[in-house]
Amino acid sequence: MARAFRPCVLTANDLFDGAVVYLDPDGAWTRRPGAARLLEDEAEANRRLAAAAREDAIVDPYLAEAVPASDGRPKAVHVREALRATGPSNYDHGKQAGS
Amino acid sequence: MYRYDSFDRDFVRNRVAQFRQQVERRIDGSLTEEEFKPLRLMNGLYLQLHAYMLRVAIPYGTLDSRQMRRLAHIAERWDKGYGHFTTRQNVQFNWPRLKDVPDILDALADVEMHAIQTSGNCVRNVTADHFAGAAADEIADPRPTAELLRQWSTDHPEFAFLPRKFKIAVSGSPVDRAVTRAHDIGIRIVRIADGELGYEVAVGGGLGRTPVIGSVIRKCLPEADLLPYVESVLQVYNAIGRRDNKFKARIKFTVGEHGIEAFRDRVEERFRLQRKAFGGADRALLERIRAMFAAPAYVQAPTGGFDAALARDPVFRSFVDTNLHPHRNPDYAIVTVSLKAHGATPGDATADQMRVIADLAERYGHDEIRISHEQNCVLPHVHRRDVPAVHAALREAGLATANVGLASDIIACPGLDYCNLATARSIPIAQGIARRMKERGDEREVGDLKIRISGCVNACGHHHVGHIGILGLDRAGVENYQITLGGDGTDTAALGERTGPAFPAEDVVPAVDRLIDTYLELRSDDDEAFLATYRRVGMQPFKAALYPDSASTAGS
């Protein structure tokens, strides 16, 4: 049986530099994890994913489980997604460099 | 070292020009990612968690100062100021931008380097003993053999699409520093009858999710038969290796499923035909290559300054103890430059550090540098009188950490901090253990201890052959670490055995601490190394130390 749908964000990597990007509420790609849109409807999430797969400026889109943090912004559930949202732990070379 | 001829130069330049076009077509939308991905992978360009990653081959880990300076230049101009040296003697740049990669590849081609066959189901970078051409215990330099194999396997039309990737390692010494038994083909130079040299060939070794120690398929292969024999092994593998399941496609499964005897019979049958087909051109080529690996013009001079520094300076003494290895010329030493300062990322070198190493190689080291699979740099030929000056320069650059072969000289893969395949982080665990060793202050007393960390079952961090192996896994989105003991990647190769239930990330350093304490209590004397103690006393006391609250000693 397929796993029940859980709220998620739509994420991918940027074609030009590989940076992690998220779909925002306006349907644009943002590099700020906090600005991502939390997708709570399964059909909508799948529709967005299918559309993203046809886009050329991003690579490997997928849905990543997320929960709303206390401030309402989406927060990663899995350690992998948490690292993608911040950058590597050994150097401030990822998103943490700009924050 | 080997120098490109015009064929090599044209081949590499043409590939860069082709890739430049492909990148342009990807960026302007003419190629989809699906179409482009195999092309970028053929040129060593991966997409990792946060960015692209370019994997550059360093054939058998040999570089000169010009090449090292070029890596420094690339790190500074197109990356974030550093490079990561890997367990396959490659270097990886973690942050290149797609449009810059053709320029990077051109910059590499200027110094006879490339990223070809650093990905895909082909023969990968051929690795070798990092002390090749220098070690006192060496029978013969393995690099001419490795270079012959590199030329043969580069763009070999028959082996461009093997069932899975294929790794070959060559050692020229009875002491196996190249982990040959954990390779698809592991080659060791041996003396056969009448002082002639030949090869012991092992097949079907590998780490990964199903670790296997390679089986010897030929004990004494005459030198002249190397290429036809290796080609026969690849032909048999290519023909009968599984392609239905990626996880059963490496040659270790082919050998396992058919049995080494049946596999050998098939290889020998092919070999009878192949041998005739080669006709001696390969041997002539080997002779030409060998001339390029002639020993450097050794300096004949007294080694006096070395002994004086040794008597005077305890810091120098401890560096000599761990970071120097015997050279075949007694006036020389092999100097290992540790890329494992306590708390640093294993294998990382900044552009400045690369330049320091390049300068030292040029000034004191006959212009030779090696990258070890243990993720350190090596100056293979340093006259003993110059070692104090080398040490002083390394100290100034923060590169004189005297820990080679000790507990903080850890191999760690990039793990979940960078790698798309990883299930847990490796780097912070390595940093934590190394910092703890510094705090303990007894790593010299602890002695020879190889800790190896992988961030997933693919085992790039060689955890199966670590005296202490650590494997990071994903348990419901949280990092979790299994520990193995008793692994050994040398000529007494063995796979580590799991201790029991896995540990959460914060408990790994304390667990390693307890393992080391237990070893210190149990060793018969100061000279009994961790691995020897483990082999003598077995798992039980270590298990008791790791799981004190567990009445039962059963695994998870």
Side-chain angles (χ1 to χ4, degrees), chain B residues 424-478:
Chain B
R425 278 173 287 183
S426 308
I427 292 168
I429 301 292
Q431 291 172 311
I433 293 170
R435 285 198 192 102
R436 176 67 192 129
M437 290 317 297
K438 189 164 193 177
E439 259 168 43
R440 287 179 62 110
D442 64 350
E443 71 173 328
R444 307 190 79 79
E445 190 195 324
V446 171
D448 179 26
L449 176 53
K450 294 189 190 305
I451 302 178
R452 308 283 180 250
I453 308 172
S454 304
C456 79
V457 292
N458 293 308
C460 296
H462 290 192
H463 65 277
H464 298 297
V465 291
H467 302 165
I468 298 176
I470 299 171
L471 165 63
L473 295 168
D474 166 8
R475 186 175 281 177
V478 178

Side-chain angles (χ1 to χ4, degrees), chain A residues 15-16 78 80 89-91, chain B residues 52 98 348 417-418 420 474:
Chain A
L15 171 66
F16 301 98
H78 194 287
R80 180 180 193 274
S89 37
N90 59 336
Y91 306 119
Chain B
Y52 288 99
L98 179 59
D348 279 8
D417 282 306
Y418 296 89
N420 227 336
D474 166 8

